[in-house]
Amino acid sequence: HRLRLLAPAGRMALTNYLLQSLICTTIFYGYGLGLFGRVSASGGLLLTLVIYSGQVIFSHWWLQRFRFGPLEWLWRSLTYGRVQPLRRAA
């Protein structure tokens, strides 16, 4: 499938959602770069593509080493009431 490239980002959806929120608030809010209202539509589209592409690449890298995203692991550990294995077996 053509969309298989995006699967790791989907497996880390919670981590990526919160990371994207952190990145974008840092870019647009006053405690960061304060660029709200200063980025054109084409600049916003470019920024979106750069951030999402970075998250897809990061997700591939992370899931080659670990079984879950960091926040997915935390959520799973809290749900089951015990620390879940995070590292992939060698």
Side-chain angles (χ1 to χ4, degrees), residues 30-52:
Y31 63 81
L33 299 175
L35 294 179
F36 184 78
R38 296 182 180 178
V39 177
S40 67
S42 58
L45 179 60
L46 178 62
L47 191 56
T48 299
L49 293 173
V50 167
I51 292 169
Y52 190 68

Side-chain angles (χ1 to χ4, degrees), residues 65-67 84-89:
R65 291 155 181 78
F66 302 100
R67 297 176 61 193
Q84 298 294 301
L86 180 59
R87 285 219 171 259
R88 286 200 170 277

Side-chain angles (χ1 to χ4, degrees), residues 3-13 52 56 59-60 63:
L3 298 178
R4 197 169 65 190
L5 176 68
L6 305 177
R11 288 187 49 210
M12 291 179 52
Y52 190 68
V56 169
S59 297
H60 277 270
L63 290 175

Side-chain angles (χ1 to χ4, degrees), residues 5-21:
L5 176 68
L6 305 177
R11 288 187 49 210
M12 291 179 52
L14 178 60
T15 296
N16 282 321
Y17 172 74
L18 293 174
L19 181 59
Q20 189 174 85
S21 296

Side-chain angles (χ1 to χ4, degrees), residues 49-86:
L49 293 173
V50 167
I51 292 169
Y52 190 68
S53 296
Q55 287 183 303
V56 169
I57 291 166
F58 172 72
S59 297
H60 277 270
W61 177 85
W62 182 272
L63 290 175
Q64 287 174 349
R65 291 155 181 78
F66 302 100
R67 297 176 61 193
F68 313 106
L71 294 174
E72 289 75 15
W73 168 82
L74 178 62
W75 186 266
R76 183 177 282 257
S77 294
L78 292 171
T79 298
Y80 289 110
R82 60 184 167 83
V83 175
Q84 298 294 301
L86 180 59

